[in-house]
Amino acid sequence: MLLLKRQKLEELKSEGKDPFVKETYDVTAHSKDIKEGFNEDEEREVSIAGRVMSKRRHGKICFLDIRDSVGTIQVFARKDVLEDKYEEVKGLDIGDIVGVKGVVFKTEAGEITVRATDLTLLSKSLQILPEKFHGLKDPDLRYRQRYVDLIVNPEVKDVFIKRNKIIKKIREFLDNRGFLEVETPILGTVAGGANARPFYTHHNTLDIDMQLRIANELFLKRLIVGGFEKVYEMGKMFRNEGMDPKHNPEFTNIELYQAYVDYEEMMRITENLFEYVATEVLGTDTINYQGTEISLKAPWKRITMIDAVKKYADVDFNKIDTDEKAREIAREKGLEVSENDTWGKLLSEMFEEFCEEHLVEPTFVIGHPVEVSPLAKRNPKDPRLTQRFEAFINTWEFANAFSELNDPIDQRERFEAQVAEKEAGDDEAHPMDSDFINAIEVGLPPTGGLGIGVDRMVVLLTDQPSIRDVLLFPTMKPIGKEVAEINENKAADEKSKIKLDLSKVKVEPLFEDYVDFDTFSKSDFRVVKVKNCEEVPKSKKLLKFTLDDGSEKKRTILSGIKNFYSAEELVGKTLLAITNLPPRKMMGEESCGMLLSAICDYDGEELLNLVMLDDNIPAGAKLY
């Protein structure tokens, strides 16, 4: 069948009918609009386009089902109307994309149909779509080939249309309350704001390792420091963690921060937001998720973490006053315990083990231990706990919020405790972020902060069994050809980094004339940092460097190394320069010094390597 499709394409090309040369088609109507606006007394001419989903021939007539972006409509084609083009209709395959011009009418069977007066093949499908009665059912294949899933399972498209509406309503809710939507970096040198393991990457130009964000909290709170009172950001987060129906390594999250309010206000925002979005999108605040009816109407239930553990695990942490006692009871309950585990950490683990499964109706769990809440204010009545909540629905956590910690001394101590945990083997412990400490030392007002998992919210409101069902392209492990392609690409990348064959290197003979030390000492060799680098207009060789040489003035040096380096890749590098040479004009620019490079002959051609130094060496350091 695949071979036959390709043979048909070659025949079309040989006849001068290559469908892939067509660039546009004038679409005047869509299936849904045609059906909803049908008037039996009015003959309406339309021009439609879509994919052939079925084809039924009866001699000199043919019926096609054409699916466009909003639905499916029947097309009626007759040989005596289309004449020579009827042969093209006969040659159509399921999956081909066509444009049809015609007149709308209703068949004797009562189906609204387009009677074709012209038909154009716009794209030839060279693959085989799943048979329509069975469709594409294998979940793994559906996620891998979402484009096919959307074609043969049209109800899937409805989920993503509804997702779009949910996201719009979230924004509408916050915008109407005076929140400002902002954007913060995805790449950073410190992935903070949550306890999670980040993904790492490398920035070639700056030659530094970077991390994809696990949360945007710390940047948003910097904006509150800077004077904004209400901000939010919705976007992708990345956590190098496990995958299950509730987790995907790449996910959409929203975080919002409001100055001069506490976590109680964040509770009100959370419950009102869920109720508002459900009512606006679904028309009701009561949903049915996988057979369970759940009311999202505010106000929601509240319970402390200590009370939840007492209720569902029959352990009263109010009566446990030492870490040793907590570890002893946790072991009795069957938890895996280490000697470093504290009262607070074990309270949190016991809650996760014994309580979450009972939280079906929307519930705020409050009073989290300090050990697992490094960014939340302490409870003034019990400093072991924090002013924090997590919102649970259907046993899943949907939201996390605090009265934000704005005491920089306390914050530093908690970060240091987290760093100690990381050094002890907890790769999800929060890293140190000195710039964030500096920001709240400038002054962070009392602030309430909230994070909501948007994907989980969409799962709930669209009644889908897994987070993968609400992600157009969920993360999948490569298989088959993908694995081979990844290996080929990796091999090509490694090939580009092959080390030089040193047997092909020739160097100039060493100088035999001596230079006295007094003459040599007159050259001022200094470490310089590249602040900016750009190409010199009209020059094939020169790059213009703006350098920090340790003085208060910026230094400009021009160097003829454009054939060996791009300007962008040298920004941020630490180089070596002679800084006491007399200025000289080069292409109209004044160059004050010389950058040092290593030059040799490699396989008959000149090879130049700019001398680059450890970034820890400060600008202005003198070389002896």
Side-chain angles (χ1 to χ4, degrees), residues 373-387:
S373 312
L375 296 160
K377 273 187 183 265
R378 292 179 190 267
N379 184 329
K381 296 179 181 178
D382 188 345
R384 300 174 303 174
L385 305 176
T386 59
Q387 305 293 67

Side-chain angles (χ1 to χ4, degrees), residues 233-351:
E233 181 178 16
M234 190 185 308
K236 291 289 188 181
M237 306 298 150
F238 307 86
R239 297 184 182 179
N240 200 353
E241 300 174 338
M243 298 167 62
D244 59 34
K246 296 184 288 184
H247 296 89
N248 193 68
E250 174 186 354
F251 62 98
T252 302
N253 197 56
I254 184 168
E255 291 199 29
L256 60 97
Y257 293 85
Q258 181 175 349
Y260 312 115
V261 301
D262 61 4
Y263 80 126
E264 295 275 355
E265 176 62 16
M266 294 299 108
M267 283 194 217
R268 288 187 283 272
I269 288 175
T270 303
E271 59 193 7
N272 289 330
L273 171 63
F274 272 78
E275 181 182 349
Y276 175 83
V277 173
T279 302
E280 289 288 310
V281 176
L282 306 177
T284 177
D285 56 31
T286 299
I287 64 170
N288 188 296
Y289 181 74
Q290 302 291 295
T292 301
E293 189 172 282
I294 300 172
S295 172
L296 299 176
K297 189 170 184 60
W300 294 359
K301 297 176 183 177
R302 301 185 185 190
I303 189 171
T304 68
M305 185 174 284
I306 287 177
D307 286 345
V309 170
K310 183 178 179 180
K311 179 176 181 180
Y312 297 113
D314 196 26
V315 175
D316 189 352
F317 267 74
N318 281 320
K319 295 179 180 179
I320 301 173
D321 53 8
T322 66
D323 294 340
E324 290 78 9
K325 185 65 174 174
R327 288 194 286 266
E328 179 185 334
I329 293 176
R331 287 191 185 98
E332 291 175 0
K333 282 289 182 179
L335 295 185
E336 188 174 323
V337 178
S338 78
E339 290 308 311
N340 294 323
D341 287 342
T342 62
W343 178 93
K345 190 170 184 180
L346 292 169
L347 169 61
S348 176
E349 290 185 7
M350 204 164 286
F351 168 77

Side-chain angles (χ1 to χ4, degrees), residues 478-489:
I479 58 173
K481 283 185 178 180
E482 293 175 274
V483 177
E485 288 168 358
I486 290 171
N487 291 334
E488 287 173 9
N489 292 334

Side-chain angles (χ1 to χ4, degrees), residues 197-213:
R197 184 167 53 190
F199 286 95
Y200 289 86
T201 186
H202 187 80
H203 193 296
N204 291 332
T205 299
L206 298 180
D207 193 22
I208 57 173
D209 288 331
M210 302 192 78
Q211 302 170 31
L212 276 67
R213 68 183 180 190

Side-chain angles (χ1 to χ4, degrees), residues 1 5 8 11-12 15 17 25 51-66 74-101 114-124:
M1 187 66 178
K5 281 172 171 274
K8 286 184 179 180
E11 290 172 6
L12 288 168
E15 296 169 6
K17 299 176 182 179
Y25 191 80
R51 190 180 300 276
V52 177
M53 298 304 297
S54 71
K55 177 177 139 184
R56 304 172 298 282
R57 278 186 57 218
H58 306 281
K60 297 181 180 181
I61 64 172
C62 183
F63 289 93
L64 306 172
D65 286 330
I66 305 297
Q74 181 172 262
V75 169
F76 174 57
R78 291 179 50 166
K79 180 176 176 57
D80 60 349
V81 175
L82 294 177
E83 299 179 339
D84 292 343
K85 283 207 171 183
Y86 188 73
E87 293 302 312
E88 294 182 23
V89 175
K90 288 167 58 179
L92 290 175
D93 293 315
I94 304 303
D96 288 351
I97 296 174
V98 298
V100 178
K101 293 178 182 178
V114 176
R115 182 188 293 111
T117 56
D118 186 58
L119 185 143
T120 304
L121 178 61
L122 302 175
S123 182
K124 185 71 182 170

Side-chain angles (χ1 to χ4, degrees), residues 399-413:
N400 185 26
F402 331 129
S403 291
E404 301 295 335
L405 178 60
N406 61 344
D407 178 349
I409 298 172
D410 189 0
Q411 183 66 81
R412 182 178 291 279
E413 290 173 352

